[in-house]
Amino acid sequence: MPLGLGNKKKGKAKDTSRLVDSEAAAPPPAAAAAPAGAGSASRLQFHAQLAHGSPTGRVEGFGSARELYTKVAEAFGIAPAEIMFCTLNTHKVDMDKLLGAQIGLEDFIFAHVKGKRKEVEVLKSDDMLGLTVTDNGAGCAFIKRIKEGSLMDQIKMICVGDHIESINGKDVSDCRHYEVAKMLKDLEKGQVFKLQLIEPRKAFEEIEPRSTGRALTEAKISRGRETLRLRTKGPATVEEMPSEVEEKAIKKVDELLETYMGIRDTELAATMVEAGRDKKNPDEFAVALDETLGDFAFPDEFVFDVWGAIGDAKQGRLE
């Protein structure tokens, strides 16, 4: 629907795997892809390990993040809900290497599973907590960034990668990132609130107990020219890597998501850029967003800024 007209929808956005290596810390081999010209994303195979250490497994036949977690869980005999998030080509909790909407055909997948639970009480002495929240696309919201010098930066028990399981006793383990971010934002200033968190399991090496997460860089998510594009709706497709213009637009839209909603989500940003690819004006763009992402109920100001970012990228005005 055109901007400013009508009400937007509200609510929630909606065994071929096997172990192949007994070495817990085996060097990542290249992914075994389908023969050239097969053209079927479902036949692609990727190598995977549990980030805290495991044999190497093969996963295939997935088209979304949720399906990927199911395949990884089958490979390692764990429940899909135990997987918090995946990183590409590193076992470390590195938010620059977080699996998003695309996987390079040579990328190696590391799955981070739930570890220790912890509980912390926080006095909300500032309107801004300094947290950026994202999720794994399957109902597991976690901390992607902690702003240096912020309220949350002073609480060393809270770390990048921690899954937010409950807020003041309310279970949010199945909530999307934007819902969790809104709950945190709506907490009353001057009041104490309680967070129950789950940190990623660690075993490969002693990892520092605290990381604020680096400012996001233009980290490449693929070493090759082709990637597997995961989609929330519809099948996965093998595509060329995003162009430089699209990469800049996606990066800027991801930054806008953090500014307006307190979340980071490259898959969501890529979907928004894709929705604006052939649109001629912001009204057409708003209609396209309502059709594909109406559950988010984006405010008009945000939609205008995203449209502007896409236009700036096309005109070469983004660094």
Side-chain angles (χ1 to χ4, degrees):
M1 62 188 70
L3 294 175
L5 298 178
N7 295 319
K8 294 183 178 179
K9 296 182 289 183
K10 296 181 183 291
K12 284 190 180 181
K14 300 203 179 239
D15 294 311
T16 55
S17 306
R18 61 187 180 88
L19 302 182
V20 298
D21 195 337
S22 61
E23 293 298 322
S40 174
S42 64
R43 295 176 60 185
L44 295 173
Q45 290 186 349
F46 295 84
H47 289 91
Q49 286 183 2
L50 300 180
H52 63 273
S54 75
T56 298
R58 287 186 187 142
V59 293
E60 62 181 324
F62 58 90
S64 66
R66 188 180 296 272
E67 292 176 0
L68 169 61
Y69 301 140
T70 298
K71 294 296 184 180
V72 172
E74 289 174 358
F76 297 105
I78 61 175
E82 287 299 301
I83 300 175
M84 298 172 62
F85 54 85
C86 294
T87 50
L88 299 177
N89 307 315
T90 179
H91 65 273
K92 297 180 180 179
V93 180
D94 184 346
M95 294 295 114
D96 284 346
K97 303 297 184 181
L98 195 66
L99 185 150
Q102 293 169 313
I103 307 175
L105 300 190
E106 297 180 353
D107 283 341
F108 193 99
I109 300 168
F110 288 88
H112 298 254
V113 302
K114 293 177 180 177
K116 295 180 182 178
R117 279 183 167 81
K118 51 192 178 182
E119 193 172 277
V120 60
E121 291 188 346
V122 182
L123 171 63
K124 190 175 182 182
S125 57
D126 196 319
D127 287 325
M128 302 300 293
L129 295 175
L131 287 184
T132 298
V133 181
T134 190
D135 66 31
N136 66 4
C140 179
F142 58 92
I143 298 169
K144 188 168 187 179
R145 192 165 72 90
I146 299 173
K147 185 177 180 181
E148 188 174 356
S150 67
L151 173 62
M152 288 303 196
D153 189 36
Q154 301 169 33
I155 304 171
K156 302 309 177 185
M157 188 182 293
I158 300 175
C159 304
V160 166
D162 286 352
H163 165 46
I164 302 174
E165 187 176 37
S166 72
I167 302 172
N168 282 335
K170 178 179 174 59
D171 184 4
V172 297
S173 57
D174 288 327
C175 294
R176 291 298 312 272
H177 47 23
Y178 62 94
E179 296 173 304
V180 174
K182 186 177 188 304
M183 290 181 203
L184 292 171
K185 182 179 179 181
D186 290 345
L187 291 169
E188 187 176 347
K189 184 178 177 180
Q191 298 297 312
V192 174
F193 65 93
K194 184 182 296 184
L195 292 177
Q196 188 168 47
L197 307 168
I198 303 178
E199 64 183 35
R201 184 175 172 185
K202 308 178 183 76
F204 262 127
E205 61 185 21
E206 187 63 30
I207 299 175
E208 291 296 324
R210 179 55 185 265
S211 170
T212 59
R214 301 195 302 275
L216 290 181
T217 61
E218 291 186 47
K220 298 296 182 182
I221 56 177
S222 169
R223 296 193 304 247
R225 287 300 305 166
E226 288 188 318
T227 62
L228 180 66
R229 172 71 189 276
L230 303 180
R231 299 179 185 276
T232 303
K233 299 178 181 179
T237 54
V238 177
E239 300 179 353
E240 289 289 311
M241 283 183 63
S243 66
E244 185 178 352
V245 168
E246 289 174 325
E247 284 187 341
K248 289 181 177 179
I250 291 169
K251 180 174 180 288
K252 181 61 178 179
V253 172
D254 199 28
E255 292 171 356
L256 289 172
L257 283 168
E258 180 175 24
T259 299
Y260 277 88
M261 303 176 68
I263 65 174
R264 284 275 190 168
D265 189 331
T266 54
E267 177 184 358
L268 179 58
T271 300
M272 297 181 78
V273 170
E274 188 177 80
R277 185 175 293 161
D278 58 352
K279 301 303 178 287
K280 299 180 176 61
N281 56 61
D283 276 350
E284 286 187 7
F285 179 52
V287 170
L289 287 185
D290 270 350
E291 290 173 350
T292 56
L293 300 167
D295 289 345
F296 285 88
F298 295 121
D300 289 350
E301 183 181 2
F302 171 72
V303 175
F304 273 119
D305 281 354
V306 171
W307 174 254
I310 294 172
D312 287 344
K314 290 178 178 177
Q315 297 299 320
R317 292 192 290 265
L318 295 180
E319 293 298 326

